[in-house]
């Protein structure tokens, strides 16, 4: 029996242990999708205590605490931070098998050198020891200690990127790059959509009164982001896309309908999104960007609690729509004109793993290795079985060795040990294939695969 999360945690073969300790563990991190706040990096934010670092804004932990019977005043409410921390420590032992249990212990060890199990008995010692270390740490400390080579934030087209310019001129070793996230331009039914158009128009100095003007404004900002080093866009696809890409005049009609104050139906939103993604995708291809599509979230479903404490507070779920036909139509529309950008497909519904695994093979073209990527296990799938299943699905239907690897997809500066968790699982899977006689014990070939997935493929794919 292995000791709790020892040095060979998750590594159950000799090959896995060698691949992790000698290869994977030594590689710096390229985190090409995160929700870190550039202002907090530029300002070298410090955290007053471990509760602020761990529980502030972390809806993963909030959902777990709710599941364990913790009332909201100890989660997002006004209880003292020490009481919130104690509540988290008290319930974490109940989370056996949950990735948050493993992530939290890895964070405690890697960031603070604390090996204690997280529970009510150890809460005092953990609080005191971690806070003593935190007093000498800031956001730069977390990035540099984790050996983050490149970190991409998610930035709205209307952002002025001033914080990115400040970071770029600083002595921070990590290269922090904006990623283009035009969700507000896609959220046509949102109450704030007209106000957002005013904000974006103000940024470029041109009023936005039509769909064509909106696309022009977004492409103008793509060029600004490109000059700032951006190489990635990101889009949330929460409704099925149209089975056939509509003409631009359809999008103009839908835009005008919304500006008259009328709401669009889900099918009309899908049409609007399809036209927008088709137009923007071609712009990304011209600039050799990668387009990331995050598919299948069902957001803010608990309307009472969302109304009480706000959006993005842990009340999202997995949608079970069929996205395949509309996604194929979008990719094919751009491919017909040889204007399909490098594209990454993420889906929140694990029932669509094989759908995406098969879809990427339809649009692969050289010379880019893995031009269409089946993205790593995302959000509700980012756990041990979800990551292992992602490896197996990509191996079954594509080429695992072309994967660009893991992302944190996190707002927390403490979350980088998730890359360690992913790398251990990758080495575990490779080791099992070797142990079962399904792949030769070829150190050179295996090392190349691990280096690629954990670091080099992302650097090559995104052109960092």
């Amino acid at each position: 029996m292995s000791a709790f999360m020892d040095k060979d945690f998750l590594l159950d073969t000799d090959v896995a242990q060698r691949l992790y300790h000698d290869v994977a563990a030594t590689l710096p991190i390229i985190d090409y999708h995160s929700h870190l706040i550039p202002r907090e990096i530029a300002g070298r934010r410090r955290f007053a205590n471990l509760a602020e670092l761990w529980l502030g804004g972390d809806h993963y932990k909030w959902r777990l605490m709710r599941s364990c019977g913790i009332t909201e005043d100890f989660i997002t409410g006004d209880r003292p931070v020490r009481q919130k921390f104690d509540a988290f420590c008290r319930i974490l032992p109940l989370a056996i098998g949950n990735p948050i249990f493993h992530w939290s212990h890895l964070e405690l060890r890697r960031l603070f050198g604390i090996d204690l199990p997280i529970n009510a008995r150890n809460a005092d010692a953990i609080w005191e020891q971690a806070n003593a270390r935190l007093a000498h740490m800031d956001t730069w400390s977390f990035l540099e200690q984790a050996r983050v080579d490149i970190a991409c934030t998610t930035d709205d087209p209307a952002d002025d990127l001033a914080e990115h310019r400040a970071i770029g001129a600083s002595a921070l070793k990590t290269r922090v790059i904006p990623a283009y996230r035009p969700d507000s331009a896609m959220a046509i039914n949102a109450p704030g959509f007209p106000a957002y158009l005013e904000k974006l128009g103000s940024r470029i100095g041109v009023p936005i009164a039509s769909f064509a003007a909106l696309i022009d404004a977004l492409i103008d900002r793509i060029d600004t982001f490109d000059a700032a080093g951006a190489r990635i866009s990101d889009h949330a696809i929460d409704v099925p896309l149209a089975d056939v890409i509509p003409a631009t005049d359809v999008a103009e009609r839908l835009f005008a309908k919304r500006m008259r104050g009328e709401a669009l139906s889900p099918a009309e939103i899908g049409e609007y999104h399809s036209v927008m993604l088709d137009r923007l995708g071609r712009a990304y291809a011209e600039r050799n960007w990668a387009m990331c599509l995050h598919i299948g979230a069902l957001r803010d479903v608990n309307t009472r609690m969302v109304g009480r404490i706000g959006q993005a507070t842990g009340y999202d779920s997995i949608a079970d729509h069929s996205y395949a036909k509309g996604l194929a139509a979008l990719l094919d529309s751009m491919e017909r004109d040889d204007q399909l950008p490098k594209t990454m497909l993420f889906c929140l519904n694990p029932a669509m793993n094989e759908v995406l695994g098969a879809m990427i093979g339809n649009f692969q073209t050289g010379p880019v290795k893995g031009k269409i990527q089946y993205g790593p296990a995302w959000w509700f799938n980012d756990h041990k079985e979800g990551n292992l299943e992602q490896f197996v699905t990509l191996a079954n239907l594509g080429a695992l060795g072309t994967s660009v690897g893991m992302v944190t997809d996190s707002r927390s500066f403490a979350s980088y040990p998730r890359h360690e968790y992913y790398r251990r699982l990758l080495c575990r899977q490779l080791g099992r294939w070797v142990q079962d006689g399904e792949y030769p014990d070829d150190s050179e070939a295996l090392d190349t695969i691990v280096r690629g997935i954990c670091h080099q493929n992302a650097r090559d794919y995104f052109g960092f």
Side-chain angles (χ1 to χ4, degrees), residues 163-231:
E163 287 90 0
H164 279 279
R165 289 191 292 274
I167 296 166
S170 75
L172 177 64
K173 295 177 182 177
T174 300
R175 184 180 174 199
V176 180
I177 302 173
Y180 189 76
R181 176 87 178 220
D183 279 0
S184 294
M186 293 182 67
I188 190 168
N189 262 7
F193 182 72
Y196 178 74
L197 296 181
E198 290 185 15
K199 179 181 178 182
L200 180 60
S202 222
R203 176 62 59 199
I204 65 167
V206 177
I208 299 174
S210 66
F211 179 76
L214 174 56
I215 294 298
D216 287 344
L218 291 172
I219 292 176
D220 179 280
R221 296 306 292 166
I222 288 172
D223 287 331
T224 299
F225 274 60
D226 188 79
R231 298 294 179 266

Side-chain angles (χ1 to χ4, degrees), residues 123-144:
D124 286 346
I126 292 170
W127 180 260
E128 292 170 6
Q129 293 176 39
N131 288 345
R133 289 287 300 273
L134 268 177
H136 305 285
M137 300 174 73
D138 59 23
T139 52
W140 288 21
S141 306
F142 295 109
L143 293 169
E144 293 181 349

Side-chain angles (χ1 to χ4, degrees), residues 32 343-347 356 360 372-378 390 394 403-405:
Y32 56 86
T343 303
M344 295 193 68
L345 306 179
F346 302 76
C347 191
L356 297 192
I360 66 172
I372 313 301
Q373 289 275 323
Y374 169 38
W378 170 46
Q390 195 269 349
L394 181 52
S403 171
V404 297

